[in-house]
Amino acid sequence: MITNTFMVPHPPLAVHEIGKGEENKIIDSIHAYEEMAERIAEIQPDTVIVISPHATMYRDWFAVSAGDHAYGDFSRFRAGSVSFEKEYDRELTGRLSELLKEEGIPGGCAYEGDPMLDHGTMVPLYYLDQKYTDYRLVRIGLSGQSLPMHYRLGMAIQKTANELNRKAVIIASGDLAHCQKADGPYGYRPEGPEYDEKIMKTMGNAAFNELFEYDPAFLDACMECGHRSFVIMAGCLDRRSVRAEVISHEATFGVGYGFVFFEDTGYDPGRNFLDQYEEAVRNRNQSDDPYVKLAYRAVNAWVKNRERISTEGVPEELLQEKAGVFVSIHEFNELRGCIGTILPVYPNAAEEIIRNGISACSRDPRFDPITEEELPYLEINVDVLKTPERITDKSLLDVKKYGVICSLPNGKKGLLLPDLDGVDTIEEQISIACRKGGIDPEDEELILERFEVVRHV
């Protein structure tokens, strides 16, 4: 059983042999590490499970530690004398890999062959090993999967520990926002301190339901590295009553270091946060807009039966309109597919929606085809493009109002829709559009066009 979990950061500076006195500037964090080690020593767990954003990470796979042993040191931080050699809990990692396969969660030991420990794992173990060493280790990496899939992984970890009657603790390793001071290593962005304040409140209240609602663009902007670690940890406590204790928070060097400790205090069926979130997503994805309803019908029919629906019964306005159309599909706030036409290709907007909806769910080269299991959780938007107009200067763009088409006389072309999360400047908009078209944004022959859209949600 997982008795306690610990949200901790992983600054190498906290290791005395690396900090050489500088660690005294984050003394609250040092004391928090020491308290973590003392609490784990009192628990005397069989297994310590570390979730680290610096372990092996794949876009579509959760790497679970493989092999019998792992080792590592801080030589890359000029402290090679500080080293670790750990025995893995092979029974737990083996059963977890089996369970992930059974439950359709992409992860396991299959692709994790690196025996070297990462600093996200070693920094907390540096303090733990000063108080307690009679444990076996499990190390788990993050992935590019959705936040709900990370939570689901945590639920599988909980189930595995229970099946094996393993007394275990979780260390969710992860720094908070990295952009909190102008003179810090990553500069300053307002999203930095905003994220720290928000996540410390979320975790301090054990309000794990809130973790799903953090916008991906916001997470990118604040430059956090621990959010997915915290989501996995929250999944390990699904349907459990939790006592949360905020130990400390610092951002002395411009990077957030937050410590929150959690104690499992018993069964609580009302804390089934993934079930609640998925139900909320299903309910809010019901749209009355005829453009969006048609896109949903087209995607559902194709995914379920490989069937292209007809335009029979479609509202007259969609049959009369001719325009370029983009169909964008999101799942749990993350892009899952987007395909469209700049100018009309088919006889009417309805046919554009149907064809582009099918392509977005099955032929976007950036993503695997959407599966039937995903259908209840999809959010679909339809953008109807107005006729593009050529412009002579980028100052005539507005990222909220206009999309941009970047092209060259040789036929290369890239497009970006307006009012997208995370795209805040004209320069960013042009850069992304050019990248999509394989174009150098500094090319002297670059042609710019702008267009407006009518967005249906």
Side-chain angles (χ1 to χ4, degrees):
M1 179 178 179
I2 296 168
T3 58
N4 293 72
T5 63
F6 301 83
M7 167 184 155
V8 307
H10 49 244
L13 190 72
V15 175
H16 300 308
E17 290 83 350
I18 299 173
K20 298 184 185 302
E22 286 293 295
E23 70 274 14
N24 292 323
K25 296 179 181 178
I26 52 169
I27 195 65
D28 287 350
S29 294
I30 302 303
H31 290 160
Y33 277 123
E34 293 169 346
E35 185 170 347
M36 175 204 75
E38 289 170 358
R39 294 194 187 195
I40 293 177
E42 290 176 4
I43 296 167
Q44 297 187 329
D46 306 313
T47 303
V48 173
I49 302 170
V50 180
I51 304 163
S52 172
H54 297 287
T56 301
M57 181 174 177
Y58 298 103
R59 181 181 66 83
D60 56 358
W61 184 266
F62 294 107
V64 177
S65 50
D68 296 314
H69 293 81
Y71 53 87
D73 60 47
F74 285 113
S75 56
R76 63 175 290 211
F77 301 101
R78 300 182 181 179
S81 62
V82 183
S83 61
F84 303 82
E85 185 167 352
K86 294 296 175 184
E87 179 184 355
Y88 280 140
D89 186 339
R90 286 295 304 277
E91 185 181 16
L92 193 149
T93 58
R95 177 56 190 140
L96 176 59
S97 294
E98 293 172 355
L99 185 60
L100 296 182
K101 185 175 182 180
E102 292 168 10
E103 298 193 353
I105 300 172
C109 298
Y111 304 110
E112 173 50 78
D114 186 1
M116 293 297 295
L117 295 173
D118 63 283
H119 77 272
T121 300
M122 291 189 292
V123 171
L125 294 188
Y126 171 83
Y127 283 91
L128 175 58
D129 284 4
Q130 295 176 35
K131 300 291 183 179
Y132 182 71
T133 58
D134 190 20
Y135 65 88
R136 288 175 295 173
L137 179 67
V138 171
R139 184 172 56 138
I140 296 175
L142 313 182
S143 83
Q145 300 283 323
S146 68
L147 295 179
M149 190 63 81
H150 282 73
Y151 191 95
R152 202 179 300 279
L153 169 61
M155 294 172 65
I157 294 170
Q158 177 200 70
K159 185 174 181 179
T160 302
N162 290 341
E163 280 187 14
L164 299 178
N165 195 29
R166 189 76 86 246
K167 184 194 289 188
V169 298
I170 301 286
I171 298 176
S173 177
D175 294 339
L176 307 185
H178 284 60
C179 51
Q180 304 200 49
K181 285 192 173 182
D183 59 352
Y186 302 92
Y188 174 79
R189 291 183 180 178
E191 293 90 349
E194 182 183 349
Y195 175 78
D196 273 38
E197 180 180 3
K198 186 174 180 180
I199 193 66
M200 290 302 294
K201 187 176 294 184
T202 292
M203 302 308 281
N205 292 327
F208 300 149
N209 55 305
E210 296 176 2
L211 289 168
F212 300 121
E213 299 293 351
Y214 283 67
D215 188 275
F218 174 63
L219 294 177
D220 286 342
C222 72
M223 303 171 71
E224 57 76 32
C225 82
H227 196 85
R228 283 171 166 77
S229 290
F230 311 150
V231 173
I232 295 172
M233 183 205 73
C236 294
L237 295 169
D238 186 69
R239 292 176 172 82
R240 307 301 301 178
S241 177
V242 175
R243 185 179 70 84
E245 183 180 355
V246 175
I247 305 300
S248 71
H249 172 254
E250 296 181 289
T252 305
F253 301 110
V255 178
Y257 306 142
F259 289 81
V260 186
F261 299 165
F262 305 89
E263 181 183 2
D264 181 334
T265 58
Y267 179 63
D268 185 347
R271 290 178 62 84
N272 58 332
F273 294 129
L274 180 60
D275 290 347
Q276 294 175 29
Y277 175 65
E278 290 182 341
E279 180 62 25
V281 169
R282 286 193 292 268
N283 289 337
R284 74 188 183 204
N285 286 352
Q286 305 301 316
S287 174
D288 292 327
D289 186 286
Y291 291 75
V292 177
K293 288 177 73 173
L294 179 60
Y296 270 111
R297 283 181 51 216
V299 169
N300 273 267
W302 184 262
V303 172
K304 289 180 178 179
N305 304 312
R306 295 297 183 268
E307 173 185 308
R308 188 171 72 234
I309 63 173
S310 72
T311 58
E312 184 178 352
V314 170
E316 191 65 25
E317 62 180 295
L318 280 82
L319 298 175
Q320 294 297 324
E321 186 173 13
K322 292 191 68 171
V325 168
F326 270 75
V327 176
S328 303
I329 304 174
H330 287 76
E331 182 180 12
F332 303 124
N333 296 322
E334 298 193 14
L335 185 65
R336 191 64 180 81
C338 179
I339 297 290
T341 45
I342 299 173
L343 297 171
V345 175
Y346 301 104
N348 50 58
E351 196 66 40
E352 299 278 347
I353 292 170
I354 293 168
R355 303 277 186 150
N356 291 333
I358 290 171
S359 294
C361 74
S362 62
R363 300 176 192 138
D364 189 324
R366 297 168 294 178
F367 305 99
D368 292 331
I370 287 172
T371 64
E372 188 168 347
E373 290 73 22
E374 296 176 89
L375 290 175
Y377 311 111
L378 301 182
E379 180 180 353
I380 300 179
N381 298 330
V382 176
D383 287 310
V384 179
L385 279 61
K386 296 184 179 180
T387 303
E389 61 175 331
R390 188 164 176 171
I391 57 175
T392 56
D393 191 270
K394 66 181 182 181
S395 64
L396 297 172
L397 290 170
D398 179 328
V399 296
K400 296 299 182 184
K401 181 178 181 180
Y402 297 112
V404 65
I405 302 169
C406 298
S407 61
L408 293 176
N410 63 10
K412 287 187 175 181
K413 185 175 291 188
L415 174 148
L416 197 68
L417 295 169
D419 197 19
L420 297 178
D421 290 336
V423 181
D424 301 315
T425 68
I426 292 171
E427 288 72 21
E428 287 176 314
Q429 188 184 42
I430 292 174
S431 176
I432 296 170
C434 285
R435 186 164 67 246
K436 293 172 71 174
I439 298 170
D440 180 356
E442 301 299 325
D443 195 305
E444 293 182 355
E445 295 187 288
L446 181 65
I447 300 167
L448 295 177
E449 296 174 271
R450 69 182 188 182
F451 61 90
E452 294 184 78
V453 305
V454 177
R455 179 158 293 164
H456 298 265
V457 298

